[in-house]
Amino acid sequence: MVTQYGIKYAVNLITAHFGDLVAKVCECLLRRGPLTLQAIVRSTELTSSQVKNSLLVLIQHNCVQAFILDQTGEHGDGAKQSTQYIALFDNIIQRWRFPKFLTMVSKKLDKQCVELLEGLLQHGRLTLKQMFDRAKSGQNEGDDVVQEAFVKLLNAHFIERCPASEPVLTNPTKEEEAARKRAAKSGKILEVQETLEQRVVEAAMPTEALRFLFATETEPTADGGKDKSNSSSVTPGEKRKHDAIESEAESGDTDEQVVLWRANIDEFIRHLRHKACIENVRARFDDGAVIVFGAMLEATRSAEKKVKTENSVPLSLSSIYEEVIKSEEGRNITFDRVRASLVQLSCPPFVKATNESYSVDFKKIIELAQHEEVESIVLKRYGRDAYRMFRLLSNSGHLLETDKMPHLLKRRRRQ
């Protein structure tokens, strides 16, 4: 759930980047949820033209997603469809991290990649042709140089194809809703119900076969045309990619003037999350444990479908060792040392062991880091006595009687 402070901060970001008019439309969506164009006009008291232009800016910069809500009539009298707009709070709030994203790419890739990404962050969405034109006007670089930088960013998953413009979202039928409630009562499902924003984002996202696929027209065929089957594609599953290319070739979507690209915010957040986890481990364990932990993150990165994954996919000890020795600093680490590091990492349980397999417990690491951050704030703002009291309450995990707290604090001090 988005807090009032979060909404206020998001609106301030939009105001600073796009002005008061666009911010007013964005704030309306953040506070009231998904709305039709007419509902936004009524709520903001702006003209229809002003709202449309503001929505176009927000969509261009990946701050709003349009979707079609397909509602079937109660008596089977046909479906009612309406285009609605929803503010993407997570995308908006990450805009302040754009400089960090550029720094990350500058360390991992080259200058051309940084300039290409900077253009995407500034303009929100660009076609490949627009990227070529910007590069020529700025640095007089050729298409080959731009394309090479583009492929590097795509291989690293730092950029991706833009989502569908208006995905169709259907409400669950009464039978499906009733089945879900019965399953929840019986304890068969425990997962948290997805928010509408998550459902819209998932519905709009391209398939994995297309999301990071880039087709180039290279070799001429016998009939004089261009061979797109020799395309450069960067996702696993050659059969799926070939079929996707053929499908797009028929619709003309491979044209460099048509397909829109954007920065992949999820991948940048995943990198920052991994970096924070590694630093947290570094503060508690030796270099060997840090290398083993980093190898586990690298080995399971591609399997993370969501940014807020609670646990990585499990890995065997042999798989972890193979990943460790891929790095220069890990080549001197023995198999037994990897096993010992995993034992270290299991207390506190940063790594969980189950049936000879090991997985990273992201949830535990992040909770511990957040808890320590709060403790640090309490210590700086209210002093050591308040800090000790806060630790006592947080570690107890239950309510404590006020009269007993001084005695408990004295006992902890002796320990």
Side-chain angles (χ1 to χ4, degrees):
M1 181 178 177
V2 181
T3 64
Q4 292 301 310
Y5 175 79
I7 292 176
K8 185 177 180 180
Y9 183 68
V11 172
N12 286 341
L13 280 174
I14 295 299
T15 303
H17 293 174
F18 308 116
D20 294 334
L21 199 65
V22 176
K24 188 172 185 179
V25 172
C26 185
E27 183 175 12
C28 174
L29 291 173
L30 285 169
R31 295 192 182 280
R32 298 193 57 191
L35 295 171
T36 62
L37 176 64
Q38 293 76 13
I40 300 172
V41 171
R42 288 194 299 270
S43 179
T44 60
E45 297 182 349
L46 298 173
T47 66
S48 179
S49 177
Q50 287 174 322
V51 172
K52 284 181 181 178
N53 290 333
S54 297
L55 287 172
L56 287 174
V57 170
L58 290 166
I59 291 171
Q60 172 71 22
H61 289 273
N62 309 297
C63 299
V64 163
Q65 174 68 52
F67 68 98
I68 296 174
L69 187 61
D70 190 351
Q71 296 175 307
T72 304
E74 293 183 2
H75 305 289
D77 52 354
K80 299 178 181 179
Q81 293 188 338
S82 61
T83 299
Q84 299 193 23
Y85 301 88
I86 186 170
L88 305 178
F89 176 78
D90 289 343
N91 282 8
I92 296 170
I93 217 71
Q94 297 302 338
R95 294 186 64 83
W96 74 273
R97 285 197 170 106
F98 283 3
K100 286 188 176 182
F101 299 166
L102 292 171
T103 301
M104 191 185 305
V105 171
S106 69
K107 292 179 179 179
K108 291 179 174 292
L109 302 175
D110 52 36
K111 180 183 176 182
Q112 286 74 25
C113 293
V114 174
E115 291 174 353
L116 204 62
L117 177 65
E118 187 175 16
L120 283 171
L121 293 176
Q122 287 177 354
H123 297 279
R125 304 178 177 196
L126 293 172
T127 65
L128 192 57
K129 185 178 185 304
Q130 288 172 328
M131 295 182 216
F132 287 157
D133 293 342
R134 287 189 73 258
K136 288 176 183 177
S137 62
Q139 301 294 333
N140 295 319
E141 292 174 345
D143 289 358
D144 292 341
V145 175
V146 178
Q147 183 168 304
E148 184 181 350
F150 176 87
V151 171
K152 286 179 182 178
L153 287 167
L154 200 57
N155 280 326
H157 286 190
F158 286 143
I159 58 176
E160 63 180 353
R161 291 191 180 212
C162 289
S165 58
E166 290 187 3
V168 177
L169 203 66
T170 57
N171 285 329
T173 63
K174 290 183 178 180
E175 291 77 9
E176 291 172 340
E177 187 66 23
R180 188 192 66 80
K181 289 180 179 178
R182 286 195 301 270
K185 288 180 180 179
S186 64
K188 291 181 181 179
I189 59 172
L190 298 174
E191 64 269 16
V192 179
Q193 188 175 5
E194 285 186 317
T195 64
L196 180 59
E197 180 180 341
Q198 290 171 331
R199 290 177 60 203
V200 171
V201 169
E202 185 176 346
M205 191 68 67
T207 62
E208 284 299 310
L210 288 176
R211 188 179 176 189
F212 304 108
L213 183 142
F214 172 50
T216 57
E217 295 183 347
T218 52
E219 299 177 6
T221 58
D223 60 0
K226 298 284 187 176
D227 181 10
K228 294 183 180 180
S229 62
N230 290 326
S231 301
S232 169
S233 49
V234 293
T235 54
E238 295 299 328
K239 177 68 167 63
R240 293 199 315 272
K241 289 185 284 189
H242 181 72
D243 292 344
I245 293 170
E246 287 187 343
S247 174
E248 286 203 342
E250 292 174 1
S251 62
D253 286 345
T254 52
D255 192 327
E256 64 183 27
Q257 300 182 47
V258 175
V259 179
L260 286 167
W261 302 87
R262 68 176 185 177
N264 181 10
I265 302 297
D266 285 356
E267 187 64 26
F268 285 106
I269 298 305
R270 185 177 293 110
H271 273 75
L272 291 174
R273 191 170 185 243
H274 285 186
K275 182 181 178 182
C277 288
I278 289 174
E279 293 306 315
N280 207 300
V281 170
R282 195 188 305 280
R284 290 174 170 79
F285 304 104
D286 57 30
D287 291 342
V290 174
I291 293 171
V292 171
F293 184 80
M296 292 182 69
L297 293 180
E298 191 62 34
T300 58
R301 186 190 301 276
S302 61
E304 289 184 39
K305 302 302 181 185
K306 296 181 179 179
V307 175
K308 297 181 180 179
T309 302
E310 293 189 356
N311 298 285
S312 70
V313 295
L315 294 170
S316 66
L317 180 58
S318 298
S319 298
I320 296 171
Y321 179 69
E322 288 177 11
E323 190 65 36
V324 166
I325 60 176
K326 286 181 181 179
S327 63
E328 185 176 349
E329 64 270 21
R331 286 173 192 149
N332 294 326
I333 297 181
T334 63
F335 191 84
D336 289 339
R337 182 67 184 87
V338 171
R339 182 188 285 111
S341 294
L342 290 170
V343 172
Q344 278 184 283
L345 291 164
S346 65
C347 187
F350 287 0
V351 169
K352 296 193 296 188
T354 307
N355 298 326
E356 301 298 322
S357 295
Y358 301 86
S359 59
V360 176
D361 190 343
F362 289 113
K363 183 179 179 181
K364 182 66 178 180
I365 297 171
I366 292 169
E367 284 180 351
L368 186 59
Q370 291 173 336
H371 186 72
E372 290 180 347
E373 181 66 22
V374 173
E375 287 183 349
S376 175
I377 293 172
V378 171
L379 178 62
K380 291 177 181 177
R381 186 170 296 181
Y382 303 108
R384 184 160 295 278
D385 289 341
Y387 164 75
R388 289 175 56 242
M389 190 178 298
F390 179 81
R391 278 183 62 86
L392 175 65
L393 290 168
S394 60
N395 291 335
S396 65
H398 56 81
L399 296 174
L400 294 176
E401 294 181 23
T402 306
D403 295 339
K404 293 182 178 180
M405 287 186 66
H407 172 69
L408 293 171
L409 287 169
K410 287 180 181 179
R411 189 169 68 183
R412 286 177 64 89
R413 185 183 296 175
R414 294 194 200 102
Q415 295 174 351

